Amino acid sequence: MKINVIGLGYIGLPTALSLAAGGLKVTGTDKKQSIVDSLQAGDLTFKEKGLQSLFEEVKNSGNLTVTTECVEADVYIISVPTPYIKINKRIDTTYVEGAVKDVLKVCPDGGIIAVESTISPGTMEKYIRPLIVQSGKVPGKDVHIAHVPERIIPGNMIYELTHNSRTIGVDESSIGEVLRSVYSVFCQGDMVITDIKTAEMTKVIENTFRDINIAFANELAKICRRDDMDVYEVIRVANMHPRVNILQPGPGVGGHCISVDPWFLVGDYPDIVNIIRHARMINDEQPEYVLSRMSEIMEENNITSLSEVGLYGLTYKENVDDTRESPTLQLLEVMKSHAAYGVKVYDPFVSDDMVPNQYKDFEQFIQDVKLVVILVAHDHIKDKIDKLKGKVIFDTRNCIKNEEIHSYLL
Ligand code: SAJ
């Protein structure tokens, strides 16, 4: 069984490596020459717990080849980005369609094209099936299509790839069984075979559920601030109820999943969605709220210049190096719109220059600011709590739990 994984990003690369480690012959394809060059040279393109050792294992097995072109294979796994179109919030299928078109040039009869990228309900029917027909092939006979959405969480991807259950959306259960056997080389979780549209909808609503729950927590934070209640204690106690599980408030929702996928539903069902749209808006407004809290805290502590303020963390969440849609970047955009410049920034996971006044040295960063705004709860900052002594701390993640250090919270 030969597999071609198209798109070697956060999802495609761990998947390709896991399949190869499971003994299958895998070709990983990415249009970006720099990614292919790096992997061929034996270097990973991003950091993730357990990824390096998996990569070493696969390098020794010889089961993985990396190219910029699709190759002949039995199963194609597509894991390319699916952004949304800003103006109408609908899914942008450009990358998925491009990948499927490339696959169709080399796909042998009987081949299976499994899309892992998150797509809105109906995308396979509306955009992918017609591409097969246009290529002169018969869907369901010459080429089979499937949607097998990924569910892994950055920061714990390798564990979740092995242990999470999966959804396999197909037209015929026999194709589902083939895919089940492919994924079972590394996946120990249940694999549920269902229809394609159910698989598409399920994935989008999983992330939407989380977005709504975070929005609820963010709204609770504002209510509790108004009337002097501790939102974290309120949530902790409420969560002791056996059927309540409220998530945590934070500086906003980032990443390429939760802050994107609910928009697909807003774009496709604008006359129905209400709670979904509002949750998205609440989470998108959270950086504005952080800025207003920051101003209050500056005033209270006679801090008059933003050059005395340091933002800790640039990634979208703790212990990952991914900065896509990060709350810190959102906050910097909000500040820009208020012509508020000069704030200093540091993240131990980000070595590239991304924003103005970005530090590479933690000690220097801390020395140069009076107010530290913690936007990401990296283990790094928890290990360096001592360095925060004497500083004003605004902890938007409630991660600095130290009796000797007073932190302002959301
Ligand atoms: N966040 C909060 N409060 C919380 C939890 C998260 O503010 O209580 C914030 C995070 O800091 C981050 C954002 O939300 O900025 C998203 O982070 P996350 O850890 O909730 O999720 P992602 O985006 O890393 O991964 C999600 C996961 N989906 C669900 O948990 C339903 C993952 O399983 C999916 O595979 C992934 O999206 C994806 O690729 O779709």
Side-chain angles (χ1 to χ4, degrees):
M1 179 78 75
K2 282 192 282 182
I3 316 287
N4 188 186
V5 178
I6 296 104
L8 296 176
Y10 287 96
I11 301 303
L13 182 60
T15 305
L17 292 175
S18 298
L19 289 164
L24 297 178
K25 288 285 172 208
V26 181
T27 302
T29 301
D30 202 293
K31 287 229 151 180
K32 250 194 185 165
Q33 187 71 49
S34 58
I35 292 184
V36 172
D37 288 347
S38 174
L39 294 171
Q40 280 176 344
D43 299 322
L44 283 175
T45 39
F46 63 95
K47 290 195 196 98
E48 171 65 34
K49 191 172 66 190
L51 194 61
Q52 188 67 47
S53 57
L54 185 61
F55 191 35
E56 298 307 323
E57 186 186 334
V58 170
K59 272 197 254 176
N60 296 333
S61 76
N63 282 344
L64 179 73
T65 314
V66 188
T67 66
T68 51
E69 301 297 327
C70 297
V71 297
E72 210 178 294
D74 303 296
V75 174
Y76 294 88
I77 294 178
I78 294 181
S79 45
V80 294
T82 41
Y84 67 92
I85 302 163
K86 293 275 181 301
I87 178 167
N88 60 14
K89 314 291 188 199
R90 293 211 157 118
I91 186 168
D92 176 353
T93 53
T94 313
Y95 298 116
V96 188
E97 285 191 64
V100 171
K101 281 184 197 159
D102 288 345
V103 164
L104 286 169
K105 289 179 199 151
V106 290
C107 178
D109 279 357
I112 301 174
I113 303 178
V115 174
E116 278 210 18
S117 314
T118 305
I119 46 182
S120 57
T123 299
M124 293 296 284
E125 195 55 42
K126 204 163 149 199
Y127 298 98
I128 306 305
R129 208 183 295 275
L131 293 179
I132 317 263
V133 177
Q134 278 162 29
S135 76
K137 301 194 185 225
V138 181
K141 183 169 165 275
D142 302 332
V143 181
H144 304 278
I145 56 173
H147 180 44
V148 190
E150 57 81 18
R151 272 179 172 163
I152 53 180
I153 196 137
N156 201 24
M157 283 178 157
I158 308 303
Y159 177 87
E160 291 208 350
L161 209 47
T162 313
H163 294 92
N164 283 2
S165 60
R166 295 196 76 112
T167 315
I168 300 177
V170 280
D171 293 328
E172 297 159 54
S173 57
S174 59
I175 300 302
E177 291 304 337
V178 176
L179 288 171
R180 197 205 292 267
S181 71
V182 168
Y183 281 97
S184 68
V185 304
F186 65 81
C187 176
Q188 297 166 16
D190 284 344
M191 283 183 262
V192 177
I193 296 175
T194 184
D195 64 280
I196 290 177
K197 206 165 181 179
T198 300
E200 292 171 323
M201 182 63 168
T202 308
K203 168 67 199 198
V204 174
I205 64 151
E206 286 165 7
N207 281 349
T208 303
F209 170 82
R210 197 158 166 87
D211 198 41
I212 292 170
N213 195 331
I214 298 168
F216 180 53
N218 284 337
E219 192 159 287
L220 291 180
K222 291 183 196 160
I223 295 174
C224 290
R225 163 85 18 226
R226 165 93 53 94
D227 267 330
D228 206 20
M229 291 174 269
D230 177 346
V231 66
Y232 301 100
E233 180 64 359
V234 168
I235 292 175
R236 186 182 76 79
V237 175
N239 280 351
M240 294 177 95
H241 185 292
R243 284 172 294 285
V244 174
N245 184 15
I246 307 168
L247 290 170
Q248 295 296 303
V253 170
H256 198 63
C257 313
I258 295 187
S259 66
V260 173
D261 303 351
W263 285 128
F264 296 161
L265 297 176
V266 178
D268 284 350
Y269 307 96
D271 54 328
I272 301 175
V273 294
N274 197 358
I275 192 169
I276 298 171
R277 180 192 282 117
H278 279 96
R280 208 63 302 285
M281 285 161 64
I282 289 167
N283 288 337
D284 270 357
E285 280 160 11
Q286 197 67 359
E288 186 84 48
Y289 175 67
V290 169
L291 182 59
S292 72
R293 282 286 293 140
M294 233 169 86
S295 307
E296 280 168 16
I297 296 163
M298 284 174 71
E299 211 176 302
E300 211 176 306
N301 291 278
N302 296 321
I303 296 170
T304 48
S305 165
L306 280 173
S307 63
E308 295 175 303
V309 179
L311 307 183
Y312 176 90
L314 257 174
T315 63
Y316 84 94
K317 66 174 190 180
E318 67 284 357
N319 306 326
V320 300
D321 62 4
D322 188 347
T323 55
R324 288 177 299 172
E325 330 278 336
S326 91
T328 310
L329 293 175
Q330 295 178 36
L331 173 64
L332 288 168
E333 275 307 304
V334 170
M335 292 177 83
K336 208 159 131 191
S337 72
H338 290 277
Y341 301 105
V343 77
K344 298 183 161 101
V345 184
Y346 172 79
D347 190 308
F349 282 83
V350 183
S351 48
D352 294 348
D353 283 319
M354 286 197 70
V355 294
N357 307 318
Q358 186 183 334
Y359 281 63
K360 303 288 161 61
D361 182 58
F362 177 70
E363 311 266 333
Q364 191 64 49
F365 166 73
I366 289 293
Q367 200 178 315
D368 287 359
V369 297
K370 281 188 185 158
L371 167 61
V372 183
V373 184
I374 297 173
L375 293 158
V376 185
H378 290 309
D379 288 345
H380 169 268
I381 193 75
K382 295 186 202 160
D383 293 343
K384 296 211 182 284
I385 287 181
D386 277 359
K387 307 274 176 198
L388 298 175
K389 281 186 183 151
K391 302 287 167 187
V392 180
I393 311 292
F394 174 22
D395 182 4
T396 70
R397 298 283 186 175
N398 191 28
C399 65
I400 303 299
K401 293 185 176 120
N402 185 303
E403 305 222 313
E404 289 173 47
I405 296 179
H406 167 261
S407 308
Y408 290 89
L409 300 173
L410 276 175

